[in-house]
Amino acid sequence: WSIDSDVALVAHHREKPMLDLTAMGHPLFSGLWDIELQLDGDPVEFDAGWNCSCWYSDNDADYLELELEFDDGLKIDRQLLLSRKVHFVLFADVISAHEGVKIDYVSRLPLLAEVSAEHDVATRECRLKGKGLHARAFPLALPDDRVLSAAGEFQEKEGCLQLKQVGQGGLYAPVIVDWAPQRR
């Protein structure tokens, strides 16, 4: 997809999707859009069964939804919404499992090596800086203030933006990355 100089590419033919995102002409993410899950402490093994369940494009945004269903009833819906007008992207995973099943979730968005991540002291916001680009990333399902307890964390780790969350039976794990100059 492309708007002006905002471009998102997603390949889903492997065990886990690959992602490339360019913001205002500057590469921001590239590589494995990783996901790890444990259900009641047991790791989930992934296969190359991702399907594109929805793709929609209009004047406001491009939207992609990938789906992966498992034999035991586990379902993952991976969503990406790229705004066409206001320079942001939403990455989200919807995890659906059986009622009462504890879900330990980790998602990693692959930053380019030349992009640095700086954490805000008071909030869970992460500021991203690259050559000619400034962006902010927010984990929407976690409280903004760090002083508030949360069943998860959001941080830069090993070259990726990493979101961890815990849920029971299901969870929604959204991250917004905003690079609009007027909101910097």
Side-chain angles (χ1 to χ4, degrees), residues 25-45:
H26 303 282
L28 185 58
F29 297 106
S30 184
L32 180 68
W33 184 6
D34 200 8
I35 182 172
E36 290 179 18
L37 287 176
Q38 289 187 8
L39 301 180
D40 286 335
D42 295 325
V44 172
E45 298 294 326

Side-chain angles (χ1 to χ4, degrees), residues 94-152:
V94 180
I95 312 298
S96 303
H98 293 290
E99 187 175 334
V101 171
K102 182 184 178 205
I103 301 168
D104 290 294
Y105 163 88
V106 179
S107 176
R108 293 180 193 89
L109 293 166
L111 293 167
L112 273 102
E114 57 271 12
V115 176
S116 65
E118 179 182 302
H119 300 282
D120 185 64
V121 175
T123 71
R124 288 186 169 82
E125 174 184 335
C126 187
R127 294 186 185 111
L128 307 176
K129 294 180 183 175
K131 205 173 200 177
L133 177 69
H134 295 272
R136 301 177 313 151
F138 307 89
L140 296 179
L142 300 178
D144 187 46
D145 290 330
R146 285 194 185 274
V147 296
L148 299 175
S149 179

Side-chain angles (χ1 to χ4, degrees), residues 13-89:
H13 62 286
R14 296 183 177 174
E15 290 177 9
K16 298 175 184 174
M18 301 294 288
L19 167 72
D20 282 301
L21 186 120
T22 300
M24 299 183 81
H26 303 282
L28 185 58
F29 297 106
S30 184
L32 180 68
W33 184 6
D34 200 8
I35 182 172
E36 290 179 18
L37 287 176
Q38 289 187 8
L39 301 180
D40 286 335
D42 295 325
V44 172
E45 298 294 326
F46 287 81
D47 61 23
W50 292 94
N51 294 309
C52 180
S53 60
C54 181
W55 183 77
Y56 182 78
S57 182
D58 66 16
N59 292 334
D60 294 318
D62 291 311
Y63 176 77
L64 169 72
E65 186 167 296
L66 302 177
E67 183 177 272
L68 184 61
E69 292 189 58
F70 295 80
D71 292 337
D72 62 359
L74 173 66
K75 182 178 172 187
I76 303 168
D77 288 303
R78 182 154 262 199
Q79 304 168 339
L80 186 147
L81 178 118
L82 178 64
S83 171
R84 285 185 168 267
K85 296 181 179 178
V86 291
H87 303 295
F88 76 87
V89 65

Side-chain angles (χ1 to χ4, degrees), residues 169-182:
L171 65 81
Y172 182 58
V175 172
I176 291 258
V177 180
D178 177 8
W179 55 88
Q182 66 272 25

